Amino acid sequence: MESVGWISAIIIGGLAGWLAGKLMEARYGIFLNIVLGIVGSVIASAILAQFHLEVVGGRLGYFVTGFLGACLLIFLARLVRR
């Protein structure tokens, strides 16, 4: 996946984390939303790479992988809390 830059990663990661939080009904602050989006994107990209899949689309691809990864992280956090 191509690089999007630090500022773009923070903005896109924050939006992806916020949207994932809304979908998964998780109440986290803006800082954790940004972290969820960025870390989620890295994790989702790594998982997709294991299956030899590459996400294209620049910022849109980063947003989609961030959203999917953030949803996955929220799901895993709920499993651990139980």
Side-chain angles (χ1 to χ4, degrees):
M1 180 168 26
E2 61 189 61
S3 177
V4 293
W6 286 101
I7 295 174
S8 293
I10 291 171
I11 293 169
I12 295 168
L15 289 173
W18 173 79
L19 189 61
K22 290 291 185 185
L23 179 74
M24 303 287 291
E25 297 179 1
R27 292 189 173 97
Y28 299 123
I30 187 69
F31 179 73
L32 195 53
N33 283 345
I34 293 170
V35 171
L36 279 174
I38 293 171
V39 173
S41 180
V42 170
I43 290 173
S45 295
I47 291 171
L48 291 174
Q50 292 298 317
F51 294 105
H52 304 290
L53 298 172
E54 183 178 333
V55 177
V56 294
R59 290 184 175 105
L60 180 62
Y62 188 83
F63 178 79
V64 170
T65 56
F67 173 74
L68 294 174
C71 287
L72 178 65
L73 288 176
I74 291 170
F75 176 75
L76 291 175
R78 286 183 179 168
L79 285 179
V80 170
R81 285 187 181 176
R82 290 184 182 181

